Amino acid sequence: MKAKQNLEGARSAAYGKQSVEALQMTTNELAEGGLKQGVNKSIGTRQLVIEDIPQVAELFVKVFGAPGQKVDQDLIEYFKDLSFGNPISSTSQGGVVFSDESGNITSAVLGIPVGYLIDGEQIRGRMLCAFMASGKGSIRAAASVSTSARPQDPAEFCFSDNASPRSAGHGRAGGAKVLPQQSLVWERPYRPISAFILRWQKRLPASLVSTLCFLSRPLDVLIRRWFPSFSVAESFRPKSTTKIEICSSDQFRATALALIKSVRLRPEWSKQEFEWLYLMASRNHTLGKLKTYLVSSENGTTIGAFMVYEKAQRTVRLMHLFAPDAELQRVYRAFFDLYDQKGFCTAIGVMEQRAFMALTEQTRLFFKANSYFCVSTQNEAVLDAIQKGDVVFGGLASETWSQLTTDY
């Protein structure tokens, strides 16, 4: 209830009465049998405005939805929250759409503003997601939207961690950089049979997945006995004096900002923006329950922090893990050991260059290709930091938490 009230308060502050009334008008028109033409008759590429949301939601369902799927109010509300709910939102940093001569939107990309720092100086970031096109002239429209979304001002940059091969191709043609390591996902199975079943959960009924995982438990016990490498080896466990404690999102934010202050390109995470991001991420129950932890040494000093989605003692998805270089291996060991001891089936996360050694020491861990991670900017300092891997991306600074990738 409290989260819902916080979300409603954020909506009212972000949109204003006039925009909400405009959105309700277009929503009603859609429910009556399709969006009436003439809401915005400008032809070509322009910035996304709140009146466009029903049309963009309709385009999204047409491109990404299941056959026969309809646009519902929940999806429209989610598009509104995603595109205009962020407290640092601005029209110039939002989404981009292409309208044809009839006022129909044939291509669009959503843009979520994110506050970043480069060498301690503020820079405007924008996370691009849900790049879509359909209908007559969609190739031209998509190319136009892709070009318009690229930053021209050195004081800004944009990125996407969920680009398709075609989208990545468009980006590279326009000068975007593809981050190879950030485009990889790692998985560390603890209970192999259950972990294998969970890879098919999107295609199987939830009740069947639950039943199969329950029945596979005895087999997993036997396999872990025959192949001890599925358990975290004693030599790769953290020191017995390492402590892990759950913490509030405020504690995590404060600790994380202190731990990453030496990173050249990093999230700014103002209190308002972080609270909005955390609230939006917490709504994704498909990924699980969002939790934050602090890791401390034998003398009580905080040496790390991590954020995860925990789903039904099955899958843990690592969103963020921060620690000084000297303690990074120890904190990763603490993370992997914690979820082995808790009885989880598998751990999943996104590859980070600085974590390569800590990850690859884990037995049974493997990497697989994910969507492309692309960054576009005219800022030389940003490009240099990216080239050297001195960056923080992923987690809340990614599309991982978006319900568009899991629920719609």
Side-chain angles (χ1 to χ4, degrees):
M1 178 63 71
K2 184 178 180 182
K4 185 176 181 180
Q5 291 173 345
N6 290 341
L7 182 61
E8 291 300 328
R11 285 174 176 169
S12 298
Y15 313 142
K17 183 177 179 182
Q18 183 176 0
S19 294
V20 171
E21 289 175 348
L23 177 70
Q24 189 60 51
M25 177 190 72
T26 51
T27 300
N28 291 339
E29 290 170 349
L30 183 67
E32 291 170 2
L35 187 70
K36 296 177 183 177
Q37 304 303 326
V39 172
N40 193 325
K41 290 196 174 184
S42 59
I43 301 173
T45 304
R46 57 177 173 77
Q47 295 296 319
L48 172 74
V49 295
I50 201 166
E51 293 87 351
D52 294 325
I53 287 181
Q55 269 208 83
V56 173
E58 200 169 27
L59 179 63
F60 178 86
V61 168
K62 185 176 181 180
V63 174
F64 300 110
Q69 183 178 339
K70 303 294 184 182
V71 178
D72 58 26
Q73 187 63 32
D74 285 344
L75 179 58
I76 290 175
E77 288 294 326
Y78 190 74
F79 264 102
K80 181 178 71 169
D81 293 337
L82 199 64
S83 300
F84 298 98
N86 191 325
I88 65 169
S89 288
S90 66
T91 304
S92 62
Q93 286 184 273
V96 178
V97 300
F98 183 93
S99 293
D100 64 17
E101 59 277 2
S102 301
N104 296 315
I105 294 175
T106 57
S107 182
V109 63
L110 301 185
I112 303 173
V114 287
Y116 257 78
L117 298 173
I118 175 66
D119 296 329
E121 300 293 327
Q122 288 184 329
I123 183 171
R124 298 188 301 273
R126 177 168 50 165
M127 182 173 70
L128 301 179
C129 54
F131 181 49
M132 48 194 155
S134 181
K136 184 179 179 181
S138 59
I139 295 177
R140 170 174 163 266
S144 180
V145 166
S146 178
T147 301
S148 298
R150 296 173 198 152
Q152 303 300 321
D153 186 343
E156 63 182 36
F157 76 103
C158 67
F159 64 94
S160 172
D161 70 316
N162 198 28
S164 67
R166 178 174 292 182
S167 297
H170 280 299
R172 292 183 68 181
K177 305 294 183 183
V178 175
L179 280 58
Q181 291 182 326
Q182 206 85 26
S183 301
L184 295 174
V185 168
W186 56 258
E187 181 173 353
R188 200 290 184 201
Y190 299 114
R191 288 153 182 86
I193 303 299
S194 298
F196 178 78
I197 293 168
L198 291 172
R199 289 175 208 152
W200 296 88
Q201 60 184 329
K202 289 185 178 181
R203 302 183 183 182
L204 298 175
S207 58
L208 179 58
V209 172
S210 297
T211 301
L212 291 174
C213 285
F214 176 77
L215 294 175
S216 68
R217 285 283 178 169
L219 289 175
D220 281 326
V221 171
L222 288 175
I223 290 175
R224 282 165 62 87
R225 189 176 300 164
W226 294 334
F227 301 96
S229 56
F230 281 107
S231 304
V232 174
E234 187 67 36
S235 59
F236 293 141
R237 287 179 179 167
K239 297 177 182 178
S240 58
T241 52
T242 305
K243 295 180 181 179
I244 302 176
E245 296 178 318
I246 196 164
C247 67
S248 68
S249 58
D250 286 338
Q251 288 176 304
F252 175 85
R253 170 182 167 272
T255 304
L257 288 176
L259 291 170
I260 64 174
K261 64 182 179 181
S262 62
V263 180
R264 293 185 63 195
L265 182 62
R266 62 188 188 273
E268 185 177 18
W269 279 348
S270 67
K271 183 174 175 59
Q272 278 190 319
E273 182 193 9
F274 185 85
E275 286 178 349
W276 180 82
L277 286 168
Y278 193 85
L279 178 62
M280 291 293 289
S282 298
R283 293 168 62 182
N284 195 326
H285 302 299
T286 300
L287 292 179
K289 188 171 183 179
L290 192 63
K291 293 185 178 182
T292 49
Y293 293 87
L294 297 181
V295 184
S296 57
S297 62
E298 53 276 359
N299 60 7
T301 302
T302 300
I303 59 172
F306 60 87
M307 177 188 294
V308 295
Y309 278 109
E310 295 178 0
K311 185 169 184 180
Q313 205 177 358
R314 294 178 188 168
T315 302
V316 56
R317 185 178 298 272
L318 183 62
M319 295 286 282
H320 291 292
L321 189 151
F322 302 123
D325 290 342
E327 300 287 0
L328 190 62
Q329 185 182 61
R330 182 177 180 180
V331 175
Y332 263 101
R333 287 181 175 184
F335 162 77
F336 283 115
D337 185 58
L338 174 67
Y339 288 98
D340 188 15
Q341 299 302 319
K342 280 189 171 187
F344 275 69
C345 302
T346 191
I348 298 172
V350 175
M351 174 63 187
E352 292 185 80
Q353 184 172 325
R354 65 190 180 88
F356 183 76
M357 294 299 293
L359 289 171
T360 52
E361 75 170 14
Q362 288 291 321
T363 56
R364 299 293 177 175
L365 185 143
F366 63 90
F367 297 94
K368 56 184 177 181
N370 192 32
S371 302
Y372 291 91
F373 197 111
C374 304
V375 180
S376 179
T377 185
Q378 301 295 321
N379 189 299
E380 292 298 329
V382 171
L383 291 173
D384 185 61
I386 290 171
Q387 183 70 28
K388 295 176 179 176
D390 200 2
V391 298
V392 172
F393 286 121
L396 297 182
S398 75
E399 203 179 345
T400 304
W401 53 266
S402 172
Q403 290 176 259
L404 294 182
T405 64
T406 58
D407 297 347
Y408 298 108

